[in-house]
Amino acid sequence: YHCCVGPDPIYEMDMEFIYGIQASNKKYSQGAAKSMALAGNVKKLFIFYLEDNIFTATTCQTAVTYSTDVLQQLNSEFGIVEVVKYTSADAAADPDFYPKLVGQAMSMEADAILGCDFKGPGFQIARAVATRGYYLKAMWLTVAPAYEDFADTLGPKATEHALTAVQWHPASTFADLFFGTAREYSERYDRAYGVTPSYVSAGASAAAYSLTYAIQDAFKGCTLPEQDVDADSLLFDAGLLECKESGGDKGIGYERVMRSLARQQINTFFGEVALNSYRRNVALTPITAQIQSGVLQATLPIDVANKALVMPKPPPVEEEQSSAEYIGTLHKEAFIAVVVIVVGSVLILCLAALLTVWRSKKHSKLLEHMLVVSPDDLLIINHPVRLCDGSYECGKAMHRNTLVALE
């Protein structure tokens, strides 16, 4: 029961006793490619792959078929501008082979790259894209972005929002009754071994869980003989077990386990498990992972993701434009808003002070005029009258042929 074999041709050899828990590598690029076509507004996809390796060749060959047969039906503007196939010898013969691939993509004005090769070539592609200042809406590479040193070695300009596929991610939402969640498995593994588990370790643990479940299911309803029985006898001695048969489920223990695996459909911390007629897992969907802030995050499928996919990649902000947009530590618009608020507040305070001074002077002038009026100059018509509520009704008088009020 293999933890780590992905290519379909291996299982299609129909080796009777070979099982595999990994998802098919033919599914690797589908989530990212569909997002490019539907959400990323990608119109020109450049594909390259190493054709003398079964993993890289079948991964990208399926991507080509999926793009032309499915995605172009979903988005008529989406298309492949070039597919470059090469051998290991081709790449080894030219030290600048991979930078030249990037140059070829640039010459065709591709706005996305999808490549199938291994760690070193993936690093070279990402570095060449960044060095040339080539903006891509999306860049998907097998293997390379999944390495922990990818972002640390190349830096954010080359790696941020790069895409890849992984069989398993410790932050995904898968879970089972024995290991718990993917995160709990990862934490327990780290405590035990001092390292973060790889997808190989996780796949091996999940294969063991799946097999254990199958063995328990195979002998459910069976009675063991009273004498001690070793594992070989349990699996290979006919007539050793007394079982309540269901649907003709007979045979030696080993055959019972194989039939149990064939009908198995369970959830594990690694993902769902269900085996096809070639005994490989067809229920598991590879995770589309993306570098975000220097960390590889699970972004697709949505129901197991821990972060949202960023598609398309945000266009870069030029340094001059960026500095022009900021004054000090504040964005230009924020700086203008602060200046307007401060200046406006100062103007309002000044206006309020001027108004206060003006009113004070006006009141003083009124008092001056009132003080120079002599009672002898007034012809009183009636004095002020106090009302029942305590207030006064103004009196009236004539002052130099002008009717005035007395308070």
Side-chain angles (χ1 to χ4, degrees), residues 64-207:
V64 172
T65 302
Y66 183 69
S67 296
T68 54
D69 294 352
V70 178
L71 298 182
Q72 284 185 339
Q73 304 301 316
L74 299 177
N75 181 0
S76 60
E77 295 184 332
F78 174 84
I80 299 173
V81 294
E82 184 70 19
V83 177
V84 178
K85 298 176 284 186
Y86 55 91
T87 65
S88 301
D90 295 331
D94 185 355
D96 294 324
F97 181 82
Y98 294 104
K100 287 178 180 177
L101 272 183
V102 174
Q104 191 173 348
M106 292 178 67
S107 68
M108 296 183 171
E109 299 182 345
D111 50 8
I113 284 179
L114 191 152
C116 301
D117 209 315
F118 293 100
K119 178 181 179 180
F123 276 52
Q124 290 191 54
I125 291 291
R127 184 183 290 112
V129 170
T131 301
R132 298 179 182 223
Y134 182 23
Y135 168 64
L136 292 168
K137 293 178 180 177
M139 180 177 67
W140 186 94
L141 302 169
T142 53
V143 180
Y147 281 87
E148 290 185 359
D149 60 344
F150 180 71
D152 292 339
T153 302
L154 299 180
K157 185 177 179 181
T159 62
E160 190 67 5
H161 300 114
L163 296 157
T164 191
V166 294
Q167 289 281 345
W168 176 79
H169 192 284
S172 62
T173 58
F174 295 123
D176 61 51
L177 296 177
F178 182 78
F179 290 108
T181 65
R183 187 176 296 280
E184 289 170 341
Y185 170 85
S186 181
E187 291 172 351
R188 290 164 60 188
Y189 189 98
D190 188 27
R191 287 196 298 270
Y193 301 105
V195 294
T196 301
S198 67
Y199 76 94
V200 175
S201 301
S205 299

Side-chain angles (χ1 to χ4, degrees), residues 301-321:
I302 294 175
D303 57 341
V304 301
N306 71 310
K307 294 287 183 179
L309 177 69
V310 178
M311 178 68 69
K313 176 182 176 179
V317 179
E318 297 295 336
E319 289 187 9
E320 292 184 3
Q321 178 184 355

Side-chain angles (χ1 to χ4, degrees), residues 236-257:
F236 299 109
D237 287 358
L240 184 65
L241 300 172
E242 295 182 7
C243 301
K244 296 178 181 179
E245 301 298 344
S246 175
D249 189 10
K250 300 180 180 180
I252 61 174
Y254 194 88
E255 293 170 343
R256 298 178 71 89
V257 174

Side-chain angles (χ1 to χ4, degrees), residues 288-299:
T288 298
Q290 185 176 48
I291 302 289
Q292 296 183 8
S293 300
V295 179
L296 189 69
Q297 306 288 3
T299 58

